[in-house]
Amino acid sequence: MAMTKQEKELCTRKFHKLLLLGNGRHEGVMAGYESLRPALAQRFEIVGSDFSGDADMSDTSADFALVFGGDGSVLRAVRQLGKNQIPILGVNMGRLGFLTAVDAEDLVPLVSRSDFSSLSVREQILLECVIETKPRISGPVRTDPELVVNEVVVQAGPPFKMLEVELSIDNEPVTTYRGDGLIVSTPVGSTAHALSSGGPILRKDLDAVVIAPISPHTISFRPVVDSAERIYEMRVLNQKAYIIVDGNMHRVISPGDRIRIHKSDVSFKMIRVPGRSYYRTLREKLGWGGGLNFLDAAHPEQ
C-alpha cells in the first residue's frame, strides 16, 4: 500500500521514533504524561515507554527520548539507555531542572514547530567508572563499567573518620586528599555536588573534569580542572568508604580498592531548545542576583 503524504513526511523526520521515559513515582508525572500522550502519538511513532526506571533500553531503536520528571529522571534514563545514547529532551516536572529543558505546558507547542526536527543536539561527555578490588588469591576483581553523567563521589562512612584518598592521573601520583571525600565531576555535574563543595561551573560542552575535595582538612586542597582525556584513579587508604555515582549509592569499598574513571566512548545527547541559552539557564536555576541593564545600555537595539 502506498504511503500517504503525511506518512512520507514522518519517515523523513530526524525525530520520528519516540521513546517515553520518566519517574512514575514522582508526583504529577503520570497524570502529565497521560494528558500529553494523545498529542505525542499524533506526531510521532511511540516505540516504547517505561516509568519504573528499571527497564533496559539499550536495544531499543528510537530517534529520541522524552524524559518526564526532574534531573534524577534524566540521569536514570541515561543509565537505562547504556551504550544506546539517543538524543534526550527532558520535560521538567521537578524543582531545579538543569537537565530538563522544557516545561510540560510548553512541550506540545515545541514538538509541533515545523523546525522541530531541525533542532540541534548538544553532545556532552560521559565518564565511565570501574572499581577494582585489591588483589585476592585469585587476583583483582573488576566491576562492569558504570556510566557517569554528573559525578563519582568517594565519601567517608561509619565510623566517619577523616578519609584519606590517594589520587593518580595517567599513573602519575598527584596527592593524598584528607577530608570527607573527593568528587570527580563532568561539566554537566559541575552544577551539582561539585558546586556545593566549592567547585567551579564549567560549560557543558567542555571536554574536561572537575576534581573537588569535600570538606578538606587543609585549605591548600582546592578544586582542579583537567582534561577528560586522562585516566583518573582513586584509592582509599585508611577505612571503608562509599562510592556514589550520580547521587546513587553504588557500593562500599575497602582500603586498597581502586576506582578508575575515564571518558566514555559514547556521549550524553540533549536536544537544544530555542531560547534556552547556557547563561539564561544559570541565571534562572541558580537564582543569580543583579540585572542585565548594562547590556541594554551597551546594545540598545536588543
Side-chain angles (χ1 to χ4, degrees):
M1 180 182 295
M3 290 191 296
T4 65
K5 180 180 179 180
Q6 183 180 21
E7 288 172 332
K8 289 180 180 179
E9 180 187 0
L10 286 174
C11 289
T12 58
R13 284 185 180 178
K14 179 172 67 174
F15 300 133
H16 171 46
K17 294 183 178 181
L18 170 61
L19 178 63
L20 298 169
L21 302 172
N23 182 0
R25 295 179 292 275
H26 193 289
E27 183 179 358
V29 165
M30 293 311 298
Y33 156 69
E34 292 294 346
S35 67
L36 292 167
R37 183 184 172 95
L40 295 173
Q42 289 180 352
R43 291 162 175 80
F44 308 103
E45 177 189 348
I46 299 175
V47 297
S49 63
D50 177 66
F51 287 85
S52 69
D54 299 325
D56 182 356
M57 294 297 178
S58 59
D59 292 326
T60 302
S61 178
D63 298 321
F64 75 112
L66 286 178
V67 181
F68 295 83
D71 286 352
S73 301
V74 176
L75 298 177
R76 186 182 299 109
V78 172
R79 290 195 295 274
Q80 287 182 265
L81 291 168
K83 294 289 186 175
N84 178 34
Q85 289 299 315
I86 59 177
I88 285 175
L89 179 60
V91 184
N92 187 25
M93 293 182 171
R95 288 176 293 179
L96 199 56
F98 267 104
L99 303 179
T100 49
V102 60
D103 293 330
E105 59 269 23
D106 298 324
L107 177 61
V108 172
L110 175 65
V111 300
S112 300
R113 291 173 53 139
S114 60
D115 64 344
F116 177 69
S117 283
S118 300
L119 296 183
S120 62
V121 175
R122 178 175 58 209
E123 296 199 25
Q124 299 148 161
I125 68 164
L126 290 172
L127 300 176
E128 290 187 13
C129 171
V130 175
I131 298 171
E132 181 182 287
T133 61
K134 62 184 180 181
R136 315 290 191 214
I137 295 177
S138 58
V141 177
R142 296 178 180 87
T143 62
D144 292 332
E146 180 86 3
L147 281 179
V148 181
V149 183
N150 273 353
E151 72 279 298
V152 178
V153 182
V154 181
Q155 190 164 316
F160 298 105
K161 298 188 298 184
M162 185 183 301
L163 195 64
E164 297 182 359
V165 183
E166 179 185 82
L167 174 69
S168 298
I169 301 177
D170 286 346
N171 292 319
E172 179 184 351
V174 176
T175 188
T176 298
Y177 289 90
R178 295 176 176 85
D180 287 347
L182 190 63
I183 301 169
V184 176
S185 164
T186 68
V188 172
S190 69
T191 51
H193 197 166
L195 181 64
S196 66
S197 298
I201 297 174
L202 272 60
R203 287 192 68 99
K204 293 180 180 180
D205 54 359
L206 290 178
D207 200 11
V209 300
V210 176
I211 304 164
I214 305 172
S215 303
H217 179 61
T218 305
I219 61 172
S220 61
F221 288 143
R222 309 303 299 169
V224 174
V225 176
D226 205 336
S227 169
E229 301 298 333
R230 301 183 183 278
I231 297 175
Y232 298 85
E233 184 175 282
M234 296 181 285
R235 185 165 67 101
V236 175
L237 301 180
N238 64 327
Q239 65 171 350
K240 290 186 176 181
Y242 292 105
I243 303 299
I244 302 167
V245 178
D246 289 342
N248 292 304
M249 170 56 187
H250 185 52
R251 64 178 295 166
V252 177
I253 61 169
S254 300
D257 292 347
R258 298 177 184 274
I259 306 99
R260 286 195 177 91
I261 301 168
H262 64 272
K263 183 180 176 182
S264 177
D265 58 359
V266 296
S267 59
F268 176 31
K269 301 178 175 68
M270 293 192 70
I271 297 174
R272 301 186 67 172
V273 175
R276 302 299 305 180
S277 68
Y278 172 71
Y279 284 109
R280 176 181 172 180
T281 299
L282 291 181
R283 287 196 305 271
E284 294 179 354
K285 303 301 183 181
L286 295 181
W288 282 357
L292 298 178
N293 292 336
F294 70 94
L295 291 177
D296 296 334
H299 305 282
E301 72 281 0
Q302 293 184 359

